[in-house]
Amino acid sequence: MTPVREEKRPAVHVDLRRGLLRTGRWSLRYDPRAVLVCVLLAALAALAMVLALGTGTYALSPAEVVRTLFGDGPPGAGFVVLDLRLPRALVAALVGFGMGMAGAVFQSLTRNPLGSPDVIGFGNGASAGALVAIIVLDAGTTQTAVGAVSGGCATAAAVYLLAWKRGVHGYRLVLVGIGASAVLGAVTNFLYLRADIGKAAQAASWTIGSLNARDWSDVTVAALGVAVLGPVVLGYARRLTMLEMGDDTAAALGVPPERSRLILLSAGTGLTALAVAAAGPVPFVAMAAPQLARRMTRAAGPNVLPAAWTGALLLTAADLATQRLTGSALLPVGVLTGVAGGAYLAWLLRGERRGARL
Amino acid sequence: MSAATASAPPPDTAPDAAPGSRTARTRAALRPAGLLLGVVLLAAAAALSLAVGTKGIPLDQVWSGLFTPSGTENDAIVRELRLPRTLIGVAVGAALGLGGAIMQTLTRNPLADPGLLGVNAGASAAVVTAIGVLDITSFTGYLWFALAGAAVAATAVHALGGGRWATPVRLALAGTAVNAALFGYVNGLSLWHLSTLDEMRYWSVGTLAKRDVSLLLTVAPLLVAGALLAFALARPLGAIALGEDHALALGTRVRRVRVLSVVAITLLCGGATAVCGPIAFIGLMIPHAARAFCGPDPRWLMPYCAVFAPVLLLVSDVVGRIVVPPSEIEVGTVTAFLGGLLFIHLVRQRKVAQL
C-alpha cells in the first residue's frame, strides 16, 4: 500500500505547482506567499500580546514589557507581567490558534464557509457539560472545563454515529449536528433556568467565552492541544484537500475517505475541546479565521496553518480590544467576537453571494 | 434541487396530478374527517391544559368554572390563571404551525422552521435590545421590535443561504450561523446588564406561563391578518411548490407571492414570539405530521397545521408542567427537545441526494 501511495503524490503536486519539502515518508508542501502570511500574522499576534501585557491598572510601555519578559524590567513588573498577565495572553494566542486550525478542518470537511466545530453540536454539548458541572455538581473552574470537554466530545461522537449510514456524508453530519444542538440547547436552557442568579451568571459568563483570570494550568491545557493535535492535523492537511474533491476522487487518489474524515474530525474536535477547556466556547473565531486566511494567502484548499495563525491574531487582538475599550479585564472576550461575528456574516453574505458559493 | 416535495413520501408527491388513483381518492375522502378529528383533539388538549397543573382540577369543575362561575378558588384558577394560558397556547400554536407550513412550502425545504431559520433569534435580539438598551418595558413598545427583528433575520438567513439557489443544507447552515450571532448578542447584552439577566433569561426561553391575556389581545389583529394572508396564499404557494417555472406557467406572480409570504411569516411568527418568547420546532414537526394525512397541497396543509400545531403546543405545555413538580419546564424547552429528536430522525431517513 505505502509504495503505491508514495508514487501517487507527485502527480498531485504537479497540478498545484507549489514548493515541496520531503524527507522520507513525510512531505511538506509550501507556498511562499502562505509562509510570508504566517510570519506576518505571528509577528502581529506577538505585537498584540506585548500591548496586552502592558495594559491594565499597572500600565507599562511595550519596551518595558519586553525587558520584563527577558528578566530585566522595572521592579515589581515581573509579578504583574509574568504571573498575572502572561498566562492570559498565552491562553488567548493558543486558544485562537487551536480554534482557527479546527475551523479550517471543519470548513473543509463540510465544504461550507459557515462550517465550524459547532455545526456538529460541539458548542452546545460543551455548554451542557459545563452547566451540569456548575449547576448540578457545584464545580470549580477545573471541573467545569472537564465537564465541558466531556460534553462536547461525547456530543461530537454521538452526532458522528447518528449520521453514520454506510459512511458519513458531510451534509448529513451538519444536519444531524443541528438537531443534536437543539436537543442539547433544550437541556442547557432547562438547567440555566433552574439555577440561582449567581450560578446563572457564572454559567452565562462561561458559555460566552472568557479569558478572565486564566492561570498557568489553562496555558498547559491549551498548549497540550496545539502541541499534540496540531501536528496530526498538519500531517493530514493534504488529505483534506483531496477530500474536498469528493469521496470518490479522494479514494481514487489513495486517500481512504471515511478513515481520514474520522481522524480529522477527532483531531479537530480534540483541538476545540482543549481550547474550550481553557477559555470557554469563544464564538466565531473558528468560523472566521479560515476565510480570512484564505483571502490573505489567495490559495485554494484548507490553509490550515495560516488559519491557525489568523485565529491566534484574532483572539489576541480581541482580548486586547476588550481590555482597552472597557478598561476592565472582566468583560468576556466572547461578547466582542460575537458582535464581530455578525459583521463577519454580513461580509460573507456580500462576498459569497455573487458566486452562490455558500 | 427540484425535490419540490421531497418531504412527502412518494405517493404524496403528486396527489393532484393523479386524482384518479385509489390512495388519492381515499385521502380526499378522509381529509375533512382528519380536520374534524383535529378539532376534537384541540378541544381535548385545551381541556387538559385547563385541568392539569400544580393543583389538578376535575373536568366538571373546569366546565362549571368556565360557564357557571360561583367564585370558588378553583373557578379563579381556571378563569384567571389557566384560561389566558390556554388561549395564548391556541393562538400561538396555530400561528407557528401556519408559519412553518408557509416556510416549508415556499422554500421547498422539508427542514424549514421559523426557529431554525432565524426568525425567533431575530425577534429575541430586537426585544432584548429594546429592554436592555432603550429601556422600553411596555409590551406594546417592544412588539414592533420583535416584528422588525423577525423580518430582518428571516431576510438575512434567506439571503445568506443563497436566495433563489438556496438548498436545505445551505439554509440550515445560514440559520445556525445567524442564530449563533444573535443569541451571542442576546447573551452578551444580558451579561452587560446583569440586573436584567434574570428577566431576560426567562423571556429568552419560550413559555406560556405568566403571560397576560392583554398581550394576546394586542397581538391578535396581527396574528389574524397573518393567518388570513396565509390562507389567501395557499393556492399560489401550491403552484410554487411545483417549481418556479411551473408556477410562472400557471400564471402565478412568483415574486409577489414570495414577498407576501415573508410578510405572513413575520406577522405570524414575530407576533407569536413577541407574546411567548422563542418557541422552536412546532413549525417543523406539525407540517410533517400533517402531510402524512392530507398530502402536500397547502390548501389542506394550512388548516391542518392551524389545528394540530396548538394541540402539540398545549400538550407539550402540560407535559412541562407535570414532569418536574413542583416547578415546570418551559414549553419552548419541551418542543426544542422533541423537535430536535424528530429533526435527527428526518435527516437519517432521507437520502442525502434528496436534500
Side-chain angles (χ1 to χ4, degrees), chain A residues 112 114 119 162 165 172 175 178-180 182-183 186 189-190 192-195 197 200 284 331 345 349 356 358, chain B residues 159-160 170 173-174 176 192 197-198 201-202 205 281 327-330 333 337 340-341 343-344 347-348 352 355:
Chain A
N112 192 297
L114 296 175
V119 302
L162 279 171
K165 210 176 186 182
R172 193 159 53 227
L175 291 171
I178 289 173
V183 174
N189 269 331
F190 174 67
Y192 191 46
L193 286 171
R194 247 121 229 106
I197 184 73
F284 283 107
L331 185 75
L345 283 173
L349 174 66
L358 216 58
Chain B
L160 196 61
R170 280 183 194 165
L173 269 169
T176 310
W192 192 265
L197 168 65
D198 212 24
R201 68 177 170 150
Y202 287 103
V205 179
F281 283 113
S327 68
E328 332 187 321
I329 304 180
E330 289 66 24
T333 307
F337 191 85
L341 293 178
F343 186 86
I344 293 176
V347 170
R348 278 176 55 79
V352 168
L355 290 173

Side-chain angles (χ1 to χ4, degrees), chain B residues 27-127:
Chain B
R27 186 165 48 219
L30 287 178
R31 274 170 180 167
L35 209 52
L36 199 65
L37 176 72
V39 174
V40 173
L41 284 176
L42 183 55
L48 207 61
S49 163
L50 289 169
V52 178
T54 320
K55 185 170 194 294
I57 298 174
L59 280 176
D60 57 326
Q61 288 187 33
V62 169
W63 184 267
S64 64
L66 283 180
F67 298 105
T68 51
S70 54
T72 61
E73 189 197 351
N74 279 354
D75 288 358
I77 293 178
V78 168
R79 293 181 73 91
E80 277 151 43
L81 294 176
R82 298 215 180 133
L83 188 60
R85 184 169 181 161
T86 306
L87 289 177
I88 289 172
V90 172
V92 164
L96 292 173
L98 280 174
I102 303 175
M103 227 174 202
Q104 291 189 6
T105 313
L106 178 73
T107 61
R108 282 184 270 155
N109 179 348
L111 302 177
D113 171 80
L116 284 176
L117 299 189
V119 172
N120 290 351
S124 302
V127 167

